[in-house]
């Protein structure tokens, strides 16, 4: 049994080069905790634009929730021990929760976006990977997708079709069945706007959710999707970019930048 260790490196000056288009970020905080049952590691940026510290709150909430959910002696831990006793030949499982981030800048718009990527493993062949994003303008205000795009009057469906078209132009990564189901388009009636509840076996589908994770760039907006969301698991996190010209019919005036 390992002793639980918590590490906090707060407000540490750390120059980090982000990947996949991310720019430099000057400062980040790191939290880590480890026991014989799990390892948890998270990080968040210390950016003055986030004056309400929504990113810090988001990360700390996730971090503390996982520590509580996976704690030694807790219900989940005891359930895993019960399974291990019933199947002694089963390999030991160590839960994993790992959250990191990338920073993206749109210099012409004076906007900054952060993309958080979270990997979680709780057994089985593969873990899952999820994304969350935050965007801030020059006034240090958090920008929501509704501040940028007009998704009313079925524009959310039309824009979802544009995303599907962009995805299916890459046949090595995306497949029609995955894309249209993930974006909700497969569940529409022949009129193209009415949800067929029998097809989706659901009470509803919120098409605006297709745009909830985004980064703003000089070239346009890039929308990110969880693993398994619109592509097979082997594709991992996926993303689709629409230029500002693509988005022009959907942009609100004035833009929040």
């Amino acid at each position: 049994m390992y002793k639980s260790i918590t590490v906090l490196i707060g407000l540490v000056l750390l120059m980090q080069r982000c990947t996949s288009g991310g720019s430099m970020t000057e400062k980040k905080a790191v939290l880590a905790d480890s026991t014989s049952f799990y390892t948890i590691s998270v990080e968040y940026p210390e950016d003055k634009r986030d004056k309400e510290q929504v990113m810090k709150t988001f990360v700390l909430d996730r971090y503390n929730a996982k520590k509580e959910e996976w704690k030694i002696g807790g219900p989940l831990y005891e359930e895993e021990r019960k399974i291990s006793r019933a199947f002694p030949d089963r390999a030991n499982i160590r839960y994993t929760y790992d959250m990191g981030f990338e920073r993206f800048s749109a210099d012409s718009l004076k906007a900054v976006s952060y993309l958080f990527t979270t990997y979680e493993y709780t057994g089985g062949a593969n873990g899952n990977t999820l994304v969350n994003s935050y965007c801030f303008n020059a006034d240090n205000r958090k920008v929501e997708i509704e501040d940028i795009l007009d998704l009313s009057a079925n524009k959310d469906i039309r824009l979802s079709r544009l995303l599907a078209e962009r995805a299916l132009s890459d046949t090595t990564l995306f497949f029609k069945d995955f894309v249209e189901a993930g974006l909700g388009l497969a569940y529409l009636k022949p009129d193209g706007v009415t949800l067929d509840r029998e097809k989706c076996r659901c009470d509803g589908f919120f098409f605006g959710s297709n745009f909830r994770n985004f980064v703003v760039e000089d070239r346009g907006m890039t929308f990110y999707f969880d693993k398994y969301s619109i592509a097979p698991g082997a594709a991992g996190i996926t993303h689709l970019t629409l230029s500002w010209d693509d988005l022009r019919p959907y942009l609100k005036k004035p833009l929040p930048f």
Side-chain angles (χ1 to χ4, degrees), residues 8-12 14 27-31 42-46 56 59-60 99 101:
L8 170 61
I9 308 175
L11 307 182
V12 177
L14 177 62
K27 195 183 296 184
K28 72 175 181 180
V30 179
L31 285 161
V42 301
E43 62 182 32
Y44 60 88
E46 292 287 344
K56 177 180 179 179
V59 173
L60 292 185
M99 179 189 292
F101 68 87

Side-chain angles (χ1 to χ4, degrees), residues 2-40:
Y2 297 103
K3 183 178 180 182
S4 178
I5 302 174
T6 303
V7 179
L8 170 61
I9 308 175
L11 307 182
V12 177
L13 292 178
L14 177 62
M15 300 303 294
Q16 175 186 339
R17 174 64 66 181
C18 298
T19 59
S20 67
S23 60
M24 298 288 282
T25 183
E26 296 79 21
K27 195 183 296 184
K28 72 175 181 180
V30 179
L31 285 161
D33 191 64
S34 178
T35 71
S36 59
F37 183 54
Y38 66 72
T39 58
I40 301 173

